[in-house]
Amino acid sequence: MHLNSQMQYKVSFALTMLGQILTSFTAFLGVWFMFTRFSQVENFTFSEVLLAFATVLLAFSLAECFGRGFDLFPQMISNGEFDRALVRPRSLIFQVLANKMEFTRLGRVLQSLVIFAYALPQSGVNWTGAKVLTLFLMISCGTALFFMLFILYAAIAFFTLEGLEFMNIFTDGAREFGRYPFSIYGKNVLRILTFVIPMAWFQYYPFLYLLGRTTNPWLIISPLLCLVFALPTRWCWRYGLKKYQSTGS
């Protein structure tokens, strides 16, 4: 239904998708300009950095495309729409999810696939079944983690009634920081992205295994550690739902 409604204005849909591509293309240009001056960034080559960049961009784009309803959740609360959702015989998560899907974000998905098409053969990775599985887990678990961050953002709105912009540090900001392997931002940032918001588990650590810089086989399944973040996310959502009071709209 969402796709059909958005395709009623095909030119607008195409131009919006193009705008999404151009927006994220500026991030690619930033990486490209960096490597016109330097041959490596912390011992990572251009094609290796693009592989990490494409992984984060694809994961974020898929999560944003189908999880857009959580980004707009504060509006559901303020206009009283969430009150109606509470009396419907469907899961609240499903109703918020189905409230909005932004298929123009597929423009970013397309761009990430183009970057993958260049980076995969150029990165020097010796592709085996284990490394293909690693890349699949990086993308799928990264998508799940961004999706959980959107849910956490929505859960905070139970108390604030409006979205808090600082959460964009971990969603849109992470997409920007993910242009490079997270280790280049320093040990303190890497620790935060390992033990607080576990983004390094789907981007940095399995990435080292892909490049052959470590042979630790446990890093193949290290992206699955991102799924542990579902526990605090679920608790925050359920706690916010328990404390929710209608805005009276």
Side-chain angles (χ1 to χ4, degrees), residues 8-30:
Q8 294 301 309
Y9 303 93
K10 294 181 176 59
V11 175
S12 176
F13 181 86
L15 290 177
T16 304
M17 182 180 289
L18 178 61
Q20 294 295 329
I21 294 174
L22 294 177
T23 299
S24 56
F25 186 68
T26 58
F28 167 77
L29 288 179

Side-chain angles (χ1 to χ4, degrees), residues 6 38 54 90 94 121 147 173 203 216:
Q6 293 173 35
F38 306 98
R90 288 290 184 180
F94 173 77
F147 198 84
Q203 194 245 38
N216 186 350

Side-chain angles (χ1 to χ4, degrees), residues 6 8 11 72 88 99-100 114 117 178 180 182 196 211 245:
Q6 293 173 35
Q8 294 301 309
V11 175
L72 300 177
R88 292 170 179 163
N99 182 59
K100 181 68 174 178
V114 171
Y180 302 97
F182 288 134
V196 182
L211 300 182
Q245 294 180 348

Side-chain angles (χ1 to χ4, degrees), residues 123-145:
S123 59
V125 176
N126 181 23
W127 292 103
T128 61
K131 291 188 176 181
V132 171
L133 175 62
T134 302
L135 182 60
F136 172 77
L137 291 177
M138 289 169 68
I139 296 171
S140 57
C141 293
T143 302
L145 178 59

Side-chain angles (χ1 to χ4, degrees), residues 174-241:
R175 183 197 66 205
E176 296 298 318
F177 295 146
R179 291 181 294 178
Y180 302 97
F182 288 134
S183 62
I184 75 165
Y185 301 110
K187 292 183 179 179
N188 290 332
V189 173
L190 185 59
R191 289 192 187 101
I192 292 173
L193 297 178
T194 300
F195 301 109
V196 182
I197 308 294
M199 293 184 177
W201 289 112
F202 84 86
Q203 194 245 38
Y204 178 65
Y205 297 114
F207 182 63
L208 295 179
Y209 177 80
L210 283 184
L211 300 182
R213 302 194 180 190
T214 178
T215 57
N216 186 350
W218 289 106
L219 292 181
I220 298 174
I221 59 173
S222 63
L224 294 175
L225 291 175
C226 295
L227 303 182
V228 176
F229 196 70
L231 297 177
T233 301
R234 183 175 182 271
W235 181 86
C236 289
W237 174 264
R238 292 177 65 87
Y239 182 75
L241 185 61

